[in-house]
Amino acid sequence: EVQLWESGGGLVQPEGSLRLSCAASGFTFGNYALGWVRQAPGRGLDWVSAISSDGGTTNYADSVRGRFTISRDNSRNTLYLQMNSLRADDTAVFYCAKIVGSGTYYNLFDSWGQGTLVTVSS
Amino acid sequence: EIVMTQSPATLSVSPGEGATLSCRASQSVNVYLAWYQQKPGQAPRFLMYDGSTRATGVPARFSGSRSGTEFTLSISSLQSEDFAVYYCLQYHSWPLTFGGGTKVEIK
């Protein structure tokens, strides 16, 4: 069974930084692309970023490009999201999600973690 | 960016009745459209991909179809566990984009 656990969320001041982690189990981590999806309170799903299985290709939503960095450690089965210059409108639950393929095609999510809440406020 | 528009925003349905949800893409996404179900306080659940192929374990009462850039998720005979918010996702091209969601509520 695929399991994804996010951690690292919390309260941060505007312009601050936070690093999210996502520990994975139940599948061959290095064979699959992964991504982050966020959901602001009471709002819909919003794709943030994705990384290929080998970490060589990354993609970002325009709203976070230049501020967020996605990375992975295939030896630790862990995905990361480094978030800098955080803004109030980044407040959301951040979900880690497994992608069906390795990152070339079929970049859709088939398994999700339970999410970690990031609150940006002074 | 491909914009995904879902309608209606809210659908009120009685248990046992059917429901039809729509998702329209602003340009062609071929068949690369997925559906997700989300209940309050829970992570999304993967329902369908390629517009009409059910994910593992998804009941047959869920079906999907496509006509050009218009996709439909149909739920026949709604069960209590089907009342939730449904999102579509296009994975044809970056950036990946979700629709705004359709809430299926009990009438």
Side-chain angles (χ1 to χ4, degrees), chain A residues 15-82:
Chain A
E15 294 303 314
S17 298
L18 213 54
R19 187 199 202 199
L20 305 183
S21 299
C22 173
S25 67
F27 63 102
T28 305
F29 188 81
N31 285 357
Y32 295 93
L34 296 161
W36 291 95
V37 176
R38 66 183 177 182
Q39 187 169 35
R43 305 295 297 274
L45 301 173
D46 181 32
W47 171 73
V48 173
S49 183
I51 187 167
S52 60
S53 58
D54 64 359
T57 301
T58 57
N59 286 279
Y60 297 93
D62 285 347
S63 58
V64 307
R65 186 176 292 111
R67 300 188 299 124
F68 291 9
T69 302
I70 191 170
S71 62
R72 63 190 294 162
D73 185 339
N74 285 355
S75 68
R76 296 176 180 268
N77 286 9
T78 304
L79 173 72
Y80 302 100
L81 185 68
Q82 176 66 44

Side-chain angles (χ1 to χ4, degrees), chain A residues 39 45 95 112-113, chain B residues 36-39 42-46 87:
Chain A
Q39 187 169 35
L45 301 173
Y95 294 102
W112 300 66
Chain B
Y36 297 87
Q37 175 194 69
Q38 188 180 34
K39 297 178 182 179
Q42 296 185 16
R45 173 196 177 195
F46 178 40
Y87 294 95

Side-chain angles (χ1 to χ4, degrees), chain A residues 80-118:
Chain A
Y80 302 100
L81 185 68
Q82 176 66 44
M83 304 185 295
N84 298 330
S85 302
L86 283 160
R87 312 184 302 220
D89 63 358
D90 292 317
T91 294
V93 172
F94 281 73
Y95 294 102
C96 162
K98 174 183 165 290
I99 287 175
V100 167
S102 64
T104 304
Y105 303 108
Y106 275 86
N107 292 304
L108 66 150
F109 308 105
D110 63 353
S111 298
W112 300 66
Q114 283 305 302
T116 186
L117 176 62
V118 172

